[in-house]
Amino acid sequence: MELSLSHYLYGLFTLLIIGTMIMRKGVVLPTLLGTFLIAWLYKGSIIEGFKAIFQANLVAAKELFSIFLIITFMLALLNSLRDLGADKRMIQPIQRIMVNGHISFFVLIVVTYIISLFFWPTPAVPLICALLVPAAIRAGLPAITAAVAIAIAGQGMALSSDYVVQVAPSLSASAAGVSTTAVAEQALILSLITGAIAISLAYILTRKKIRRADDPINVQELANMQTSQEDPIDDPQKEIRTKWSKVFAIFVPLTLAAVVIYMVYEKLNSGRMSGFEGGDGAAFIGGVAVILLLLSTVALRKQQALDYITKHITDGFVFAFKAMGPVIPIAGFFFLGSSDFAGSILGIEEGAPAFLFDLVQSTQSYLPENQWLAAVSILIIGIITGLDGSGFSGLPLTGALAASLSSNNMDVATLAAIGQMGTIWTGGGTLVAWSSLVAIAGFCGVSVMELVRKNFIPVIAGLLVATSIAVWVL
C-alpha cells in the first residue's frame, strides 16, 4: 500500500494530539489545524481545506447528537425532580446501602457491569447516573471517581467482551476466520482481567480522596450535576411540593426499573439482539424520561408548566453543549481518518481515503514474530484504531492481523480477542474524550479530559497485564 503525504501528515498530527493530551493541554487547536492542512494537501486546494473544517465538525456533530439528546432529557428530568424535592427522597433507600464512598465505588461497578453487559453502556449510563451517582456523591465518593467506576465497568469491561450481544466478537471472528464463540470466551476472560486490574488501580489511586458523607464538597459536586438554578418555590406551594415529591420519588424509580425489566424480558425472548442495544435502548429511556419530565413539571407548576418545560429543556441543552462542545472538533479530526466519514468531510463520493487505518495496515509487514511482541503489537494497533471513537470500526483490521500473525503456540482467537480489548477499551471508550465517554462526564458534571487522564494508567496497566496473561497462560 502506497502512503501519500496526507497520510504522513495525518500520522504526525495524531502523535501531536496524543502528546498534547499527555501534557494535559487542550487539543482543539491542533485538531482544527490538522483537519485544515490535511484536507488542503489531499485535495490540493486551500478552499477545500476551509470547507473540510466545517464539514468535519458537522459530521461529528451529527454522529454525536444522540448523546447530546440523552444528556439533555435526563438532566431536564433531574432538574424537574429537584424542583419537586423528589431527588433527595428518591435516593434515600439507596443511601442505606451506599453507607460510604468506598462501598459506593464498588456498588456502581457491579450495577454498571450487569446492565451494560445486556444492553451496552449507552442506555445504562443515564439510568445509573440518574439514580445511583447522586447517592454515591452524598456518601462521599468524588464525582470524578464515580465517573471512572462507571467508565471502567461499562465502557471498558462489559463492552470489550460484549459476551451477551456478541456484536464485537462476531466482527473480530469473521475477520480472523474463527468461530464467534472462541473469540467471545477469550474476550470475556481478558475483559475481566483488564477490568480487575483497572478497578484495583483506580481504587488505590483515588481512595485517599474519598470523603466523609458530611463533607460540604459533596453538596457542591451534586450541584454541578444539576446545573439549572430554579427560582425558589413560593411558600403556598410547599404542601403541594411535599405531596408530589413523595409520589415521584416512588414513581420515577419504579418506572425506570420497569424499563429495565421490560428490556431484560425482550432480551430473553428475542435472543442476542432484542432491539434495545446501544442507541435504541438509549432512545427508549430518553423517551420515557421526557414523559416523566412532563408529568413532574405539570404536577407542580400547573399552568406555568408550559414555560418551565422549555426552561428545563434549555438548561439541559446548555449543559450538554458545555460538556461536549470541545469534543466535536476532536471527533471531526479522527473521523477524517476513517473511510466511513472521510468522503463526507472531503466531498468525495467514491474511494474515500482511510488515513488512520492505512497507516496501521502499512506497519503489518514490520510486526515481530515473537509471541509477546506480536500480541502487544496487535494491542497497540487496536488502541490506535480505537482513536476514531467508535470502538468497533477497528475490529475487522485487528481480526485480520490476528489471522496473519498466529503461530502454533498462540491461536487466532486469542490474538483477535487482544486486538478487541485494545480497540474497545480505547474507543468504546475509556481513553478517548470524543467517544460516548463524554456522556458519563456530562452526567457526572466533570471534565471529560480529566476523566480520560484518570482512566489512562489503570486501563493501560490492565491491558498490558491481560495481554501478558493471554500469551503465557491462555
Side-chain angles (χ1 to χ4, degrees):
M1 178 184 298
E2 185 176 351
L3 299 179
S4 66
L5 286 176
S6 301
H7 284 83
Y8 291 112
L9 186 60
Y10 188 90
L12 178 63
F13 268 95
T14 299
L15 293 176
L16 177 63
I17 290 166
I18 294 172
T20 305
M21 291 176 63
I22 293 173
M23 291 187 296
R24 300 187 177 187
K25 302 294 183 181
V27 297
V28 172
L29 191 154
T31 55
L32 290 173
L33 180 61
T35 301
F36 169 69
L37 293 177
I38 292 163
W40 180 8
L41 182 61
Y42 184 82
K43 299 283 291 198
S45 168
I46 190 172
I47 303 300
E48 295 297 326
F50 290 130
K51 290 164 62 177
I53 294 178
F54 180 85
Q55 291 296 335
N57 283 270
L58 181 61
V59 168
K62 288 179 180 178
E63 289 297 313
L64 297 175
F65 193 69
S66 60
I67 301 176
F68 277 80
L69 282 179
I70 191 65
I71 292 175
T72 296
F73 292 147
M74 293 304 294
L75 283 177
L77 173 60
L78 287 174
N79 286 330
S80 179
L81 294 176
R82 190 191 66 160
D83 202 6
L84 279 168
D87 58 335
K88 295 180 181 178
R89 291 181 182 272
M90 191 167 61
I91 63 175
Q92 284 175 350
I94 307 174
Q95 285 179 319
R96 296 172 185 171
I97 301 174
M98 295 179 163
V99 293
N100 58 53
H102 301 275
I103 293 176
S104 299
F105 179 80
F106 293 102
V107 169
L108 284 177
I109 288 171
V110 172
V111 175
T112 302
Y113 180 74
I114 292 173
I115 297 178
S116 298
L117 199 60
F118 281 90
F119 307 110
W120 290 350
T122 308
V125 165
L127 282 172
I128 294 163
C129 289
L131 295 178
L132 296 185
V133 172
I137 293 175
R138 288 180 186 277
L141 187 69
I144 187 68
T145 308
V148 168
I150 294 171
I152 290 176
Q155 318 284 92
M157 196 159 56
L159 189 61
S160 64
S161 71
D162 196 13
Y163 191 73
V164 175
V165 182
Q166 292 194 353
V167 171
S170 297
L171 290 172
S172 297
S174 60
V178 296
S179 70
T180 299
T181 302
V183 176
E185 289 176 351
Q186 296 292 75
L188 177 63
I189 296 171
L190 294 179
S191 69
L192 291 173
I193 294 171
T194 305
I197 299 297
I199 288 167
S200 300
L201 278 177
Y203 177 72
I204 291 170
L205 293 172
T206 60
R207 61 188 178 88
K208 291 184 178 180
K209 296 181 181 179
I210 296 176
R211 302 179 292 263
R212 296 173 58 89
D214 56 359
D215 195 308
I217 298 179
N218 299 342
V219 178
Q220 181 181 345
E221 291 199 339
L222 280 171
N224 292 337
M225 289 187 65
Q226 303 171 24
T227 58
S228 69
Q229 298 298 321
E230 301 292 345
D231 297 332
I233 305 291
D234 296 333
D235 289 336
Q237 289 185 300
K238 185 175 180 180
E239 184 177 342
I240 299 175
R241 183 186 186 191
T242 302
K243 180 183 72 174
W244 284 114
S245 70
K246 294 177 180 178
V247 172
F248 279 92
I250 298 172
F251 182 62
V252 170
L254 286 180
T255 302
L256 295 179
V259 167
V260 174
I261 292 170
Y262 177 72
M263 291 169 71
V264 171
Y265 173 80
E266 286 295 310
K267 167 71 69 178
L268 296 176
N269 283 275
S270 303
R272 260 182 15 180
M273 300 297 288
S274 66
F276 288 114
E277 291 76 16
D280 290 333
F284 178 39
I285 293 171
V288 171
V290 170
I291 299 302
L292 291 173
L293 166 65
L294 298 179
L295 293 174
S296 60
T297 306
V298 170
L300 179 63
R301 300 293 185 177
K302 303 296 187 294
Q303 66 274 14
Q304 294 178 325
L306 294 172
D307 295 325
Y308 273 89
I309 287 287
T310 304
K311 189 176 191 312
H312 288 316
I313 294 291
T314 301
D315 288 337
F317 268 117
V318 169
F319 184 84
F321 273 85
K322 282 184 177 180
M324 291 188 58
V327 175
I328 291 176
I330 302 172
F333 175 83
F334 284 98
F335 285 174
L336 180 61
S338 171
S339 59
D340 294 336
F341 302 104
S344 300
I345 295 172
L346 297 172
I348 300 173
E349 293 184 1
E350 295 182 1
F355 297 118
L356 184 62
F357 290 172
D358 289 347
L359 285 169
V360 171
Q361 284 183 315
S362 68
T363 65
Q364 182 174 352
S365 60
Y366 302 101
L367 296 179
E369 296 182 1
N370 177 275
Q371 288 184 44
W372 188 82
L373 291 178
V376 171
S377 298
I378 285 189
L379 174 66
I380 293 172
I381 288 173
I383 291 172
I384 294 172
T385 57
L387 290 176
D388 70 344
S390 87
F392 284 77
S393 58
L395 294 179
L397 174 58
T398 56
L401 288 175
S404 66
L405 290 174
S406 62
S407 64
N408 293 330
N409 296 323
M410 194 166 189
D411 65 355
V412 178
T414 302
L415 283 173
I418 291 171
Q420 183 174 310
M421 291 300 105
T423 302
I424 296 181
W425 274 89
T426 302
T430 61
L431 298 181
V432 293
W434 45 96
S435 67
S436 55
L437 184 69
V438 73
I440 297 176
F443 281 120
C444 293
V446 299
S447 164
V448 66
M449 298 304 295
E450 183 63 22
L451 179 55
V452 169
R453 295 184 190 108
K454 294 289 185 182
N455 288 337
F456 185 80
I457 293 177
V459 169
I460 292 297
L463 289 172
L464 290 174
V465 171
T467 300
S468 300
I469 292 176
V471 173
W472 294 318
V473 178
L474 300 180

